[in-house]
Amino acid sequence: MIHRWIWRLLPWVPAVIALLAWWAWFAIDRPPASVMPSAFAVIATMADLAFGGRLPGDILASMARLLGGSALGIVTGMAAGFVAGLNRPIADFMNPLVVFFNAISGIVWLPLVIGWLGIGSPLAIFLIWNTVFFIIFQNTVLGVQLVPEVLELGVQSLGGSRWETIRSVTLPGALPYILSGIRSGLGFGWRALIAAELVGATTGLGQLIFSGAEYHRADIIVGGCLLIGAIAMAMDRWLLLPIEKRTVIRWGLVATGQGR
Amino acid sequence: MADKIEVSGFRHFFRTEIGSVQATGTIDLSIKAGEFVTLVGPSGCGKTTLLKAIAGFLTPSEGNILCDGIPVRGPGRERGVVFQELAILPWRTVRRNIGHGLEIARVPKAEREATVARLIGLMGLGGFEDRYPHELSGGMRQRVAVARTWAADPEVILMDEPFAAVDAMTRLTLQEELGRLCAATRKTVFFITHSVDEAVFLADRVLVMTRRPGTIKAELEIPRSASGGRDWDSFTSDPLMQKIAGDVMHLVHAERV
Ligand SMILES: Nc1ncnc2c1ncn2[C@@H]1O[C@H](COP(=O)(O)OP(=O)(O)OP(=O)(O)O)[C@@H](O)[C@H]1O
Ligand SMILES: [Mg+2]
């Protein structure tokens, strides 16, 4: 009973330690507010921004871009990944292209794409897609190729068509890799999003942080970062984890350390 | 009776990075409709290779394979397979694994459930219908694999050491069940095993292979009672059966690798 509670509380330990360190730094060193704000100042500023301020609009704008760009990246990455994973010649054709474009960072695209799409959501969505696509693509290809052939042969011997085999064997078989791709894809998607919003948008958390930098408001910068991390954690916990619990964990494809 | 499966002049080589490996010698073999044929032979002699060719998973390097007189071109639902490495799907429950072939054949739900329920009863899987394979024991998984192939109602069933991972007690039950099932449904079965007793117990005809590259070195007809039924009590007390098992053991023993 007691050690179960200890495990439950464990994830909060780093946050508590960070807060204590933050507080200690203030008690001992008293840094100027533009270097490091106090925790109290951050909370007060975020509360101000939240009630009647720009924060709700910024969060909504950022999340819409993130989800839009990621969804696009996931769908296109999976589709391309399946095509390449199931066809050797197509994989041989696509792999060099993927390596080529994957090496070119999103920031490099920024000046070019501002010229094409202008400033705003389409730009941010493109940059997120440009990040998420490659991660999903490569994970999907690996996942598809690692599905044991015997499972596919088994379904074909039951009379399954190629389509039935893909639907009932390849797709669920590749899912652990695809979900892992989605997890890292979302993380890198956030990075791309904030980078895009710093210069390529007028709203969003990236803009909020940028405006904080312009006015030397460290409290806004720190608050914005904390918010990004918190939203990312919430999405992982309430979006991705439930999907995993119902699929790859339920099927015993990934070990959870429970009931083993 | 007509030949259901006909293998003529079959020989197979695997191409690998370091050259080609001869997996089998030249094999000729025919299996009549409704016949239960078992195959024993040393590890690596090419049993699985032969079974995969009949299943249509690999194209023979040499020779022909006919099913009902038609050349085998790929896998098909008339030839069900139980694999040496279990091929049931981890993401389907026991019920949905067993019913998969019927689902593919678009059998109406009520009929499908009835068939699945009958096989779950027969295989002693009752109470585990909605479990996933990772929640079952190795032997139970193996029973699901057999039931899945059976439910799809193929004309020919190809089995590659299906009971290898089952404990000795369960194995006896499953062998008797399989014998009963086959006698009742008159299916054509090609069954690979390492166990001489199992081979003689189940078969109408036992084939013995030489070591790699394997060819068929002997075949023995096993006399069956008219009902075709089998049980271990009468098998172990029947001197004729014991003599045949001894003969097969000698043939296999000579091929030790
Ligand atoms: N995909 C492959 N590539 C290369 N060589 C192979 C391949 N599959 C089988 N072989 C070789 O062919 C030979 C026959 O293999 P096979 O799997 O048919 O043996 P087996 O009689 O089923 O053995 P066991 O009783 O151990 O299952 C072996 O020597 C093996 O090394
Ligand atoms: Mg084998």
Side-chain angles (χ1 to χ4, degrees):
Chain A
M1 236 4 245
I2 289 170
H3 66 261
R4 187 181 292 170
W5 275 106
I6 292 175
W7 285 114
R8 279 264 179 90
L9 293 175
L10 204 59
W12 296 98
V13 169
V16 172
I17 290 177
L19 269 175
L20 284 176
W22 195 352
W23 174 82
W25 185 12
F26 266 81
I28 298 160
D29 195 35
R30 300 194 166 275
S34 62
V35 173
M36 187 67 192
S38 72
F40 178 76
V42 170
I43 293 167
T45 305
M46 294 321 273
D48 268 356
L49 286 169
F51 299 103
R54 57 180 288 189
L55 196 55
D58 283 334
I59 292 177
L60 274 179
S62 284
M63 286 204 48
R65 289 166 191 154
L66 180 79
L67 291 178
S70 300
L72 213 59
I74 291 167
V75 170
T76 52
M78 275 179 67
F82 265 89
V83 171
L86 293 167
N87 301 279
R88 249 273 71 103
I90 294 183
D92 291 344
F93 167 75
M94 283 175 80
N95 279 332
L97 285 176
V98 166
V99 171
F100 181 92
F101 282 104
N102 196 19
I104 301 168
S105 82
I107 299 297
V108 178
W109 285 106
L110 205 62
L112 275 177
V113 183
I114 286 182
W116 301 339
L117 297 176
I119 280 176
S121 290
L123 170 69
I125 288 176
F126 170 79
L127 287 183
I128 295 168
W129 172 83
N130 182 60
T131 303
V132 173
F133 173 82
F134 295 102
I135 298 171
I136 302 288
F137 173 82
Q138 284 171 335
N139 275 272
T140 305
V141 171
L142 181 66
V144 166
Q145 289 173 343
L146 283 178
V147 175
E149 195 196 14
V150 71
L151 299 184
E152 294 166 350
L153 295 175
V155 169
Q156 283 165 21
S157 300
L158 294 173
S161 60
R162 183 161 165 80
W163 170 242
E164 169 68 24
T165 311
I166 292 173
R167 195 186 66 79
S168 67
V169 184
T170 321
L171 184 62
L175 204 55
Y177 295 87
I178 295 172
L179 286 174
S180 155
I182 291 176
R183 171 163 285 130
S184 28
L186 284 176
F188 284 100
W190 271 107
R191 297 180 186 206
L193 168 72
I194 301 305
E197 284 179 345
L198 284 179
V199 285
T202 53
T203 54
L205 291 169
Q207 260 304 302
L208 180 76
I209 291 171
F210 189 63
S211 71
E214 265 186 323
Y215 300 112
H216 302 288
R217 290 284 302 273
D219 51 345
I220 294 183
I221 300 176
V222 171
C225 291
L226 288 177
L227 204 56
I228 291 169
I231 296 174
M233 272 167 62
M235 278 173 45
D236 197 78
R237 173 134 198 185
W238 286 306
L239 220 61
L240 214 50
L241 199 59
I243 296 177
E244 288 178 321
K245 280 197 174 143
R246 233 169 286 165
T247 56
V248 293
I249 294 175
R250 184 74 193 86
W251 304 332
L253 297 183
V254 294
T256 55
Q258 288 166 5
R260 296 233 149 206
Chain B
M1 260 189 287
D3 284 345
K4 192 77 189 173
I5 299 287
E6 216 180 313
V7 177
S8 51
F10 171 78
R11 204 147 79 109
H12 197 76
F13 301 86
F14 284 105
R15 253 168 260 299
T16 65
E17 310 273 290
I18 50 161
S20 91
V21 180
Q22 183 173 4
T24 71
T26 305
I27 295 175
D28 294 284
L29 157 73
S30 62
I31 304 174
K32 291 191 279 294
E35 194 179 19
F36 198 127
V37 173
T38 58
L39 178 66
V40 286
S43 181
C45 72
K47 302 182 295 296
T48 299
T49 306
L50 174 62
L51 181 135
K52 282 187 172 167
I54 298 174
F57 300 151
L58 52 84
T59 314
S61 306
E62 287 172 22
N64 293 305
I65 293 170
L66 307 179
C67 177
D68 280 326
I70 301 158
V72 168
R73 294 243 178 275
R77 68 162 301 194
E78 72 286 353
R79 279 162 292 128
V81 181
V82 181
F83 294 83
Q84 188 169 9
E85 58 278 61
L86 295 181
I88 55 173
L89 301 177
W91 36 87
R92 281 181 173 248
T93 57
V94 168
R95 187 199 303 281
R96 295 203 58 221
N97 259 302
I98 297 177
H100 198 175
L102 300 173
E103 227 175 84
I104 289 170
R106 298 185 198 290
V107 170
K109 191 155 189 254
E111 192 183 325
R112 192 166 80 216
E113 305 233 303
T115 306
V116 170
R118 188 168 52 78
L119 279 161
I120 282 177
L122 206 62
M123 287 292 171
L125 290 164
F128 290 88
E129 291 89 339
D130 297 311
R131 297 288 174 155
Y132 286 90
H134 77 106
E135 299 168 302
L136 307 179
S137 71
M140 292 166 87
R141 271 175 236 165
Q142 218 142 18
R143 283 180 266 162
V144 174
V146 172
R148 173 179 90 156
T149 302
W150 216 278
D153 197 25
E155 295 156 30
V156 180
I157 298 187
L158 309 167
M159 296 200 232
D160 197 348
E161 301 185 36
F163 304 144
V166 185
D167 67 282
M169 293 293 289
T170 313
R171 193 179 311 144
L172 298 182
T173 318
L174 286 180
Q175 287 158 344
E176 288 184 345
E177 289 297 355
L178 183 64
R180 214 163 300 155
L181 214 54
C182 287
T185 52
R186 301 302 307 154
K187 288 200 187 300
T188 309
V189 183
F190 181 63
F191 188 108
I192 295 173
T193 173
H194 273 130
S195 155
V196 168
D197 274 346
E198 180 173 77
V200 176
F201 176 73
L202 288 170
D204 296 316
R205 185 154 54 104
V206 179
L207 306 176
V208 183
M209 271 176 94
T210 63
R211 64 175 83 90
R212 188 178 74 88
T215 54
I216 291 169
K217 77 168 203 178
E219 66 177 85
L220 295 87
E221 293 279 346
I222 314 293
R224 284 278 156 224
S225 64
S227 72
R230 302 148 168 91
D231 71 89
W232 278 107
D233 284 339
S234 48
F235 181 80
T236 42
S237 60
D238 183 340
L240 177 60
M241 287 297 172
Q242 290 308 307
K243 183 187 174 303
I244 296 173
D247 292 348
V248 174
M249 184 61 92
H250 274 114
L251 288 164
V252 173
H253 214 67
E255 296 301 326
R256 271 175 309 172
V257 266

